[in-house]
Amino acid sequence: MLAPPPEGTFDMEEVNLPIKNAPKDSLPEQVPLLNLEAAPIESNESKKGKVTQILIFLYENLKLKQILQPAIIASILAMVIGAVPVLKHLIFTTDAPLFFFTDSCIILGEAMIPCILLALGGNLIDGPGSSKLGFRTTAAIIFGRLVLVPPMGLGIVTLADKLGFLPPGDMMFKFVLLLQHTMPTSVLSGAVANLRGCGREAAAVLFWVHIFAVFSMAAWIVLYLNLLF
């Protein structure tokens, strides 16, 4: 037979051994309903979600997708880069390390106007009268651009001159500002309209605007020369 150990007998005292099921009398562990540490994180996430929803709402209702065309985005980027001296000396100057990018853009820009004119000519394959705008709409656009806009430009330049925003005595600078309001619509607007699927209508309007601008520009230039010189 086996002898008992020297420390004592085989009889072991009851110890608190781990049991699977908790006794009925013991209370369950109380867990707080709100986790105080996670509250700031959830609030920050909710704020970010609200800001995202507001931005999406503005983007959809203001139709920024139609406004932010490639030409406008490129112009905004050029102004931002030109306004920051570090980026300007990094990209635009002749000795800049990234001047090759500017040089490539200049080469592409030289071919841009002929390509746009080809695209506009392709939209006029059926003639300038093939657009769906109608005679009244086209005439109103031409009248507003060539007859109404130049007097507004004349008023703006005159007001700026009286307020002292223009260099005094520089008549050529004023003449260029006035001439800018007299010029017909740029062909870039036709390229932007072509991206929106309205290339034929824009091409027809640009065609007639440039035709009638020959006469309107001559009249406005004579008026500007008499006022300034």
Side-chain angles (χ1 to χ4, degrees):
M1 296 180 66
L2 297 175
E7 290 83 3
T9 62
F10 287 107
D11 297 333
M12 299 178 63
E13 296 180 357
E14 293 182 358
V15 295
N16 295 327
L17 298 176
I19 56 178
K20 185 175 182 181
N21 296 325
K24 296 181 180 180
D25 297 336
S26 62
L27 297 175
E29 184 180 358
Q30 295 181 356
V31 180
L33 297 177
L34 297 177
N35 192 355
L36 299 178
E37 296 180 356
I41 300 176
E42 293 178 357
S43 62
N44 293 332
E45 291 179 354
S46 62
K47 290 180 180 179
K48 291 180 180 179
K50 291 180 180 179
V51 172
T52 305
Q53 292 178 358
I54 292 173
L55 293 177
I56 294 174
F57 176 78
L58 294 176
Y59 182 81
E60 293 177 352
N61 288 273
L62 295 179
K63 297 181 179 180
L64 295 179
K65 186 177 181 180
Q66 298 180 4
I67 298 174
L68 296 177
Q69 297 295 332
I72 298 176
I73 295 175
S75 300
I76 294 174
L77 289 177
M79 289 188 291
V80 171
I81 294 174
V84 180
V86 178
L87 297 177
K88 181 179 179 181
H89 293 293
L90 188 64
I91 298 176
F92 288 152
T93 56
T94 308
D95 299 332
L98 298 179
F99 183 73
F100 67 91
F101 179 75
T102 304
D103 194 13
S104 302
C105 292
I106 292 173
I107 295 173
L108 293 175
E110 292 177 353
M112 179 186 64
I113 300 299
C115 293
I116 292 176
L117 292 177
L118 288 175
L120 292 176
N123 290 324
L124 293 174
I125 189 172
D126 296 329
S130 61
S131 64
K132 300 179 181 179
L133 292 178
F135 174 76
R136 293 183 178 180
T137 305
T138 305
I141 294 173
I142 296 172
F143 181 80
R145 182 65 187 89
L146 300 179
V147 179
L148 298 181
V149 174
M152 296 175 62
L154 180 60
I156 293 172
V157 173
T158 304
L159 180 61
D161 187 20
K162 291 183 178 180
L163 294 177
F165 292 109
L166 302 180
D170 194 350
M171 298 301 176
M172 185 57 66
F173 182 70
K174 298 177 185 178
F175 178 74
V176 172
L177 292 178
L178 293 173
L179 192 63
Q180 183 180 2
H181 294 86
T182 312
M183 298 294 292
T185 307
S186 175
V187 293
L188 289 176
S189 60
V192 174
N194 196 13
L195 293 175
R196 301 300 306 166
C198 305
R200 180 175 296 180
E201 288 75 11
V205 171
L206 289 175
F207 175 82
W208 291 114
V209 166
H210 282 77
I211 291 296
F212 287 100
V214 176
F215 307 99
S216 65
M217 284 184 61
W220 287 112
I221 287 174
V222 171
L223 178 62
Y224 297 154
L225 292 176
N226 291 328
L227 292 176
L228 297 176
F229 301 100

Coordinates of all heavy atoms in Angstrom, one line a residue, residues 161 166-174 228-229:
D161 N -10.1 103.9 -62.3 CA -9.2 105.1 -62.5 C -9.4 106.2 -61.5 O -8.5 106.8 -60.9 CB -9.3 105.6 -63.9 CG -8.2 106.6 -64.3 OD1 -7.2 106.7 -63.6 OD2 -8.4 107.3 -65.2
L166 N -5.5 102.4 -60.8 CA -4.7 102.3 -62.1 C -3.6 103.3 -62.0 O -3.7 104.3 -61.4 CB -5.6 102.6 -63.3 CG -6.9 101.7 -63.5 CD1 -7.6 102.1 -64.7 CD2 -6.4 100.2 -63.5
P167 N -2.5 103.0 -62.7 CA -1.3 103.9 -62.7 C -1.7 105.2 -63.4 O -2.3 105.2 -64.5 CB -0.3 103.1 -63.5 CG -1.0 102.1 -64.2 CD -2.2 101.7 -63.4
P168 N -1.5 106.3 -62.8 CA -1.9 107.6 -63.4 C -1.1 107.9 -64.7 O 0.1 107.7 -64.7 CB -1.6 108.6 -62.3 CG -0.6 108.0 -61.5 CD -0.8 106.5 -61.5
G169 N -1.8 108.4 -65.7 CA -1.1 108.8 -66.9 C -0.8 107.7 -67.9 O -0.3 108.0 -69.0
D170 N -1.0 106.5 -67.5 CA -0.7 105.3 -68.4 C -2.0 105.0 -69.3 O -2.8 104.2 -68.9 CB -0.3 104.1 -67.6 CG 0.4 103.0 -68.5 OD1 0.3 103.2 -69.7 OD2 0.9 102.1 -67.9
M171 N -2.1 105.7 -70.4 CA -3.2 105.6 -71.3 C -3.3 104.2 -72.0 O -4.3 103.7 -72.3 CB -3.3 106.7 -72.3 CG -3.5 108.1 -71.6 SD -5.0 108.2 -70.6 CE -4.8 109.8 -69.9
M172 N -2.1 103.7 -72.3 CA -2.0 102.5 -73.0 C -2.5 101.3 -72.1 O -3.2 100.4 -72.6 CB -0.6 102.2 -73.5 CG -0.5 100.9 -74.3 SD -1.5 100.9 -75.8 CE -0.8 102.3 -76.7
F173 N -2.2 101.4 -70.9 CA -2.7 100.4 -69.9 C -4.3 100.4 -69.9 O -4.9 99.3 -69.9 CB -2.1 100.6 -68.6 CG -2.5 99.6 -67.5 CD1 -2.1 98.3 -67.6 CD2 -3.4 99.9 -66.5 CE1 -2.4 97.3 -66.7 CE2 -3.8 99.0 -65.6 CZ -3.3 97.7 -65.6
K174 N -4.8 101.6 -69.8 CA -6.3 101.7 -69.8 C -6.9 101.2 -71.1 O -7.9 100.6 -71.1 CB -6.7 103.2 -69.6 CG -6.2 103.7 -68.2 CD -6.6 105.2 -68.1 CE -6.0 105.8 -66.8 NZ -6.3 107.2 -66.7
L228 N -9.3 108.5 -74.8 CA -8.0 108.4 -74.1 C -7.0 109.3 -74.7 O -6.1 109.9 -73.9 CB -7.5 106.9 -74.1 CG -8.4 105.9 -73.3 CD1 -7.9 104.5 -73.5 CD2 -8.6 106.3 -71.8
F229 N -6.9 109.4 -76.0 CA -5.8 110.1 -76.6 C -6.3 111.4 -77.3 O -7.4 111.6 -77.7 CB -5.1 109.2 -77.7 CG -4.6 107.9 -77.1 CD1 -5.3 106.7 -77.2 CD2 -3.4 107.9 -76.4 CE1 -4.8 105.6 -76.6 CE2 -2.9 106.7 -75.9 CZ -3.6 105.6 -76.0

